[in-house]
Amino acid sequence: MQILTDAPLIAFNTFGLQARAAKLVVLESVNDLPAIPELVRNNPAFFPLGGGSNVLFAEDYQGLILQNALKGKVLTETEDAYHLRVMGGESWPQLVDWTLQEGLGGLENLALIPGTAGAAPIQNIGAYGLEFADRCEYVEYLDLTTGDIQQLNKEECQFGYRDSVFKQALQGKVLITAVGLYLPKPWQAVLAYAPLSQLPENNLTPQTVADCVKSARRSKLPDPKLLGNAGSFFKNPTLSQADFAEISRQYSNVPGYPTTEGQVKIAAAWLIDQAGWKGKKLGAAGVHHQQALVLVNHGQAKAEELLSLARQIRDDVKNKFGVTLTPEVRLIGQTGEISL
């Protein structure tokens, strides 16, 4: 376990912002878990961090940031499925690639999503018709009050669209140590979303699907190593059918996707593009020229520039369409999560 004071966070957030933390703890061994609750008690402002791929540090953090670097994975097999136990600090993209190398299907739609395995259930990451919840068997965590290791099954995690119990009732109270994944046999491709729906079904393999997903993501999403970003900045809003019909009467080409709850999800990127923000800049902050849903750091952007840009986009979309965008990226202030 590494403990650093007044620590720079530029290497711990994919926006590449120059924030600092009063204290940064890098957790590298399960043997260090018993010491974590006391550290948290002595630092009431506490934030658990994975790969930093879904956060924007709005200010210097005045408390303790705990970066989960626990590594390890175990594969077991039953008659109907493969079961994976993955430690929270494992890279999610590398995990997906490893399953493909092992000949295991089931995670290919989630290829190239940045971050760690421990962060995946918090946001219930998802892409191309699949969510973490669809493959979750359990989530294991350290209770920061009692020091006990607990497990929640899929239902107990209360997964929703980019949401879970870890962003709600358990926020700030636990540290996710490991996740259990269920990869069913036989493998069945999930091809509902374009461009996967265009794949020929003959000789289809998990690797074929993964390659298509990676190609699509690389064509639309900038590499944060080259251009600072945190992926999709806003959630895709969900509307009632009546509200969607009203927008459709004015804009016949608005993309809408029915949900299982009888509502309609519309593409935030389309709304932002139609509001005229695609490719625009505000200082060193900007909207990506290929994907309007991605805000980027063009070099030396300040957090306030990104936040101001996000607020202006939100307000313009609200004024034009009557739809309120909410951030998917987690905004972190001096002592915890803040709103836009």
Side-chain angles (χ1 to χ4, degrees), residues 21 23-25 27 36-49 57 61-68 122 142-145 166 170-176 330 332-337:
K23 185 174 289 185
L24 172 67
V25 172
L27 180 64
I36 299 303
E38 183 177 358
L39 274 172
V40 172
R41 281 193 295 271
N42 292 334
N43 295 272
F46 160 73
F47 184 73
L49 185 67
F57 287 108
Y61 192 72
Q62 299 303 312
L64 165 69
I65 287 183
L66 181 57
Q67 206 264 333
N68 187 344
I122 298 174
L142 172 70
D143 186 314
L144 296 172
T145 301
F166 305 106
L170 293 183
Q171 183 174 351
K173 299 177 181 178
V174 304
L175 173 72
I176 294 174
R330 303 178 73 182
I332 312 302
Q334 289 186 7
T335 58
E337 199 157 356

Side-chain angles (χ1 to χ4, degrees), residues 120-316:
I122 298 174
Q123 286 286 111
N124 186 22
I125 61 172
Y128 299 103
L130 193 74
E131 293 181 328
F132 176 87
D134 298 318
R135 297 291 180 257
C136 177
E137 194 163 29
Y138 64 83
V139 175
E140 177 189 283
Y141 64 83
L142 172 70
D143 186 314
L144 296 172
T145 301
T146 66
D148 296 334
I149 299 292
Q150 305 280 357
Q151 263 191 23
L152 296 181
N153 62 31
K154 173 182 173 178
E155 288 70 29
E156 292 169 327
C157 289
Q158 301 175 28
F159 289 120
Y161 174 56
R162 302 299 174 268
D163 198 17
S164 71
V165 70
F166 305 106
K167 286 185 70 176
Q168 303 298 330
L170 293 183
Q171 183 174 351
K173 299 177 181 178
V174 304
L175 173 72
I176 294 174
T177 51
V179 298
L181 301 173
Y182 177 92
L183 308 181
K185 301 176 186 175
W187 173 72
Q188 185 172 357
V190 178
L191 304 175
Y193 279 61
L196 303 183
S197 58
Q198 308 302 315
L199 288 173
E201 296 190 16
N202 294 338
N203 300 318
L204 203 58
T205 68
Q207 186 65 61
T208 304
V209 175
D211 289 344
C212 185
V213 167
K214 289 181 179 183
S215 177
R217 290 184 68 87
R218 286 170 174 149
S219 70
K220 296 188 297 183
L221 302 175
D223 185 344
K225 295 177 182 177
L226 304 176
L227 186 63
N229 73 91
S232 299
F233 193 90
F234 293 102
K235 298 178 183 178
N236 291 318
T238 301
L239 306 180
S240 68
Q241 293 192 22
D243 287 342
F244 178 73
E246 178 62 30
I247 291 179
S248 296
R249 277 192 284 271
Q250 300 179 62
Y251 306 94
S252 59
N253 61 335
V254 57
Y257 309 94
T259 72
T260 55
E261 293 80 22
Q263 297 179 303
V264 182
K265 186 182 294 183
I266 60 176
W270 185 89
L271 296 172
I272 296 167
D273 191 2
Q274 294 299 306
W277 278 101
K278 192 173 185 179
K280 292 284 187 68
K281 290 183 179 181
L282 182 64
V287 181
H288 194 248
H289 68 281
Q290 289 181 301
Q291 172 52 270
L293 197 51
V294 178
L295 304 192
V296 298
N297 176 1
H298 283 290
Q300 298 296 323
K302 302 290 192 299
E304 187 51 44
E305 289 177 315
L306 287 160
L307 292 171
S308 179
L309 176 62
R311 293 184 188 113
Q312 290 186 44
I313 291 169
R314 177 199 60 189
D315 293 347
D316 281 1

